[in-house]
Amino acid sequence: MALTNWALWRLPNRGLIGFVLLVDVAAIAGSAWSFLRVPFTEGDALPFAILILSSVLYTELSRPVERVRERFAGTPHISLDSVWTFAAVLLVHPALAALVIAVSFFYRWLRGQPNPLFRRVFSTSATVLSGFAAAAYLSRYAVPFDVLPRDASSFGSVVAAGGVFLLVNTVLMTVAVYYGTPHERLRDALAKPFEYALEAATIALGVIVAWALRDWPVMLLLVVGITLVLHRGVLLRQLKRQARSDAKTGLLNAKAWREAATDELDRARRAGRHTSLLMVDVDRFKLINDRHGHLVGDRYLAAIAETLRTEVRGTDLVGRFGGEEFVVLLPGTPAVHAHAIAERIRSSVASRAGDLPEHVTVSIGLADRPGVADLDTVIAVADRALYEAKNTGRNRTSGYQVTG
């Protein structure tokens, strides 16, 4: 793939591209500096090897769970890698900890958790920098983990280091998410409380892994079992959403989307929040089905659904409305930001190549309602805007404000 075609360059603004590159360069530079300036010890080799092997083994053991999770691409993916990565931060040389983090992230990526390469590199880099911050905190306020006395004060220091690890990673990832798509409020770019609680639990397990490797290695067997149970617990949450998913795209089906959108509009009405709706229709989709068959048509629908997931926020509601129509509810989003999101979706679909036989475009209708009307009214206005976009040339966005 040519450098100019990297998905990184399609990010919404140059500042975000610069931020992503800065984090990546800082992680590489920090790893190189620690490799050259921080002395290695004989005690680094064995924990490093065990953590690498444990990360790879766990990835393989959890693949049956991951295969099921990947069927529900519309649900958030929660990584449990901190079990191994935070243990590495506590136990081994910073450069070796960075290597454990890289192996953990990229081995899972290679074994079937695909996303754009620049995102995987950024996630890895953000975790490496979080590890450096936690290690720096421990070196400033405590002694190395393997010689820490097992008392309440040391316990507090390790917990605080875990908090630093979580905080730095959250800040870096939230900045990327916040500027990756227009957000009216910072909290819309944050993950759900359950996700932070799960991440904190995996960091706590990382502390247990580090302790086990130093004092009682057989405990690793229990940690692997506990982590698999946590992994399956996340899966159960996703299975509950199965009945709400569209089989061809993994998005919310029409019934589930309507229920969720109605609830969201009620919340927006009570809070006095601005809300927008996009209705997305594939241009000349019948011709694609006629030329290439319905199976290829389904691949187009799946590809467009993936584009929608990529281009909107985690708090936005994306569903398949029926046939070749999709709907996106954008809570807390005024018309100017909604139009920018719509144009980014339209541009991404039009430029997408992949393994599909021909390019395709979409037309988008935008309904904007400052005071928030009932859902049927907003849908009707978005449908009228979509009709205008279709009748004025297709491959464009048209919008109206809801009145009354």
Side-chain angles (χ1 to χ4, degrees), residues 3-250:
L3 182 65
T4 54
N5 292 332
W6 282 8
L8 172 64
W9 312 126
R10 296 198 294 271
L11 290 177
N13 59 68
R14 292 179 182 270
L16 179 58
I17 294 173
F19 174 74
V20 170
L21 293 175
L22 178 63
V23 170
D24 293 344
V25 170
I28 294 170
S31 301
W33 182 89
S34 64
F35 180 82
L36 295 173
R37 301 295 297 272
V38 179
F40 289 85
T41 66
E42 292 182 1
D44 286 328
L46 184 59
F48 168 72
I50 291 175
L51 288 170
I52 289 284
L53 290 174
S54 296
S55 174
V56 170
L57 176 62
Y58 180 78
T59 298
E60 292 300 324
L61 290 175
S62 63
R63 284 197 73 208
V65 179
E66 289 298 320
R67 280 194 290 267
V68 178
R69 292 179 74 188
E70 288 162 11
R71 291 169 53 194
F72 310 107
T75 58
H77 188 94
I78 304 168
S79 170
L80 305 184
D81 293 315
S82 296
V83 173
W84 319 112
T85 59
F86 190 64
V89 168
L90 293 176
L91 276 181
V92 301
H93 186 280
L96 295 180
L99 188 54
V100 171
I101 292 168
V103 169
S104 178
F105 274 70
F106 278 93
Y107 187 77
R108 189 174 295 280
W109 182 68
L110 291 170
R111 292 294 283 164
Q113 194 184 99
N115 61 355
L117 178 60
F118 83 88
R119 291 189 178 181
R120 180 59 48 157
V121 173
F122 177 79
S123 296
T124 303
S125 299
T127 305
V128 168
L129 292 181
S130 303
F132 288 162
Y137 174 87
L138 274 181
S139 66
R140 173 66 177 82
Y141 295 104
V143 296
F145 181 83
D146 56 351
V147 295
L148 270 177
R150 302 313 191 234
D151 57 23
S153 176
S154 298
F155 176 78
S157 296
V158 172
V159 170
V164 170
F165 182 84
L166 178 59
L167 177 63
V168 173
N169 191 261
T170 298
V171 169
L172 294 175
M173 298 303 295
T174 301
V175 169
V177 172
Y178 181 77
Y179 290 104
T181 56
H183 284 73
E184 217 174 40
R185 299 173 306 170
L186 181 62
R187 69 181 183 183
D188 291 334
L190 294 170
K192 295 178 175 59
F194 167 77
E195 296 173 36
Y196 290 123
L198 182 61
E199 179 68 12
T202 60
I203 290 172
L205 284 173
V207 176
I208 295 175
V209 168
W211 167 65
L213 282 174
R214 282 304 182 206
D215 296 337
W216 201 7
V218 74
M219 279 287 293
L220 280 178
L221 297 176
L222 291 180
V223 172
V224 169
I226 292 169
T227 309
L228 284 171
V229 169
L230 277 175
H231 212 145
R232 290 182 182 277
V234 177
L235 172 65
L236 286 175
R237 290 173 63 90
Q238 292 180 305
L239 288 177
K240 290 178 181 177
R241 299 172 183 171
Q242 181 176 9
R244 296 163 53 84
S245 299
D246 173 67
K248 292 183 179 179
T249 63

Side-chain angles (χ1 to χ4, degrees), residues 185 256-278 313 315-317 321 327-333 367-382 402:
R185 299 173 306 170
W257 181 86
R258 179 177 283 275
E259 291 173 353
T262 299
D263 290 343
E264 182 56 49
L265 283 180
D266 286 342
R267 285 191 292 271
R269 185 182 296 109
R270 290 193 296 270
R273 288 201 301 157
H274 208 125
T275 301
S276 296
L277 173 69
L278 305 180
R313 303 164 297 186
T315 53
D316 299 328
L317 294 175
F321 202 59
V327 278
V328 183
L329 189 73
L330 303 168
T333 306
D368 167 58
R369 170 65 172 175
V372 186
D374 65 276
L375 182 59
D376 287 335
T377 301
V378 179
I379 289 174
V381 172
V402 182

